[in-house]
Amino acid sequence: MFQLANITKAYRTRDGQRLDILRGIDLTIGEGDYVAIVGGSGTGKSTLMNILGLLDRPDGGSFRFHGDEIASIAEPERARLRNRCIGFVFQQFHLLPRTTALDNVCLPLLYGPWDSPRRRAAEALAKVGLADRISHTPEQLSGGQQQRVAIARALVTDPTLLLADEPTGNLDPATTGEILSLFDTLNEAGTTIVLITHDSEVARRARRTLRLQGGVLF
Ligand SMILES: Nc1ncnc2c1ncn2[C@@H]1O[C@H](COP(=O)(O)OP(=O)(O)OP(=O)(O)O)[C@@H](O)[C@H]1O
Ligand SMILES: [Mg+2]
């Protein structure tokens, strides 16, 4: 499905200092794979996830998605791929404030070919256990409920690739178990999953675990 070779990414601080975060990432992910990425805080996991999700570009290296070199794909087509193929659960949720859970989950459906967006969004919210909270805005939801709205929004388009950055970081053990069962079901049905976690129990559910350390994955 995608293949990364020698991917690098550096940030520049305000005083001009260069921070090499990703120093040569090699990663191949096949259809139906389920990969957990672990590693210390600040090692670059979210940076890598943003690259995998076509939200950010690497500085160097090769990134092929379904055989095509991503760098050579123009932004409109990248946006289309993102919307049609990728579901993203952000570490900071990124829900729209003052907007109901239902409307937040509907959002990705407004840019694609999907019909009955409100019905689909309501079904996705029911899957994460929030059928009774669809009219609540993020301000009226607990942290774990907001996280589940973010998960519903990632799943509502039936993505072929689910990228989830600490998707259970705010959930209690029982709710974590429910979300992981949902991910298992999706993976058994063919969804490719890449998940970032600090929780070794969560990582164990994946087919394989990779560690990001010193800018490389192993
Ligand atoms: N825009 C930026 N400019 C400068 N430095 C940045 C920028 N974004 C991230 N960094 C730095 O890059 C490193 C990697 O950040 P990243 O968010 O990818 O870490 P992470 O592995 O996801 O950490 P956590 O587990 O805490 O979420 C951090 O040390 C961070 O300070
Ligand atoms: Mg992070």
Side-chain angles (χ1 to χ4, degrees), residues 45-47 91 165-166 196:
K45 302 182 300 298
S46 297
T47 301
Q91 190 170 16
D165 196 346
E166 291 286 358
I196 290 173

Side-chain angles (χ1 to χ4, degrees), residues 97-177:
R98 299 177 297 281
T99 304
T100 65
L102 190 73
D103 285 337
N104 263 290
V105 176
C106 272
L107 219 58
L109 301 173
L110 303 179
Y111 305 97
W114 297 278
D115 41 51
S116 321
R118 296 179 74 79
R119 182 181 54 75
R120 289 184 70 111
E123 284 170 5
L125 283 162
K127 279 187 195 160
V128 298
L130 289 178
D132 58 349
R133 289 290 185 277
I134 63 172
S135 308
H136 282 55
T137 66
E139 299 77 11
Q140 299 167 334
L141 294 167
S142 72
Q145 289 171 337
Q146 291 177 47
Q147 184 151 46
R148 284 183 282 155
V149 174
I151 293 168
R153 184 184 54 191
L155 300 180
V156 75
T157 56
D158 284 330
T160 51
L161 171 63
L162 175 63
L163 298 175
D165 196 346
E166 291 286 358
T168 60
N170 293 271
L171 305 181
D172 61 75
T175 315
T176 294

Side-chain angles (χ1 to χ4, degrees), residues 58-99:
D59 296 333
S62 161
F63 176 11
R64 292 179 177 276
F65 190 75
H66 290 296
D68 298 319
E69 186 60 51
I70 284 293
S72 62
I73 300 177
E75 182 49 35
E77 175 61 10
R78 287 163 62 97
R80 205 189 69 89
L81 275 173
R82 229 169 15 234
N83 180 240
R84 302 288 162 89
C85 304
I86 305 176
F88 215 117
V89 183
F90 294 96
Q91 190 170 16
Q92 313 292 347
F93 315 151
H94 295 322
L95 300 175
L96 283 185
R98 299 177 297 281
T99 304

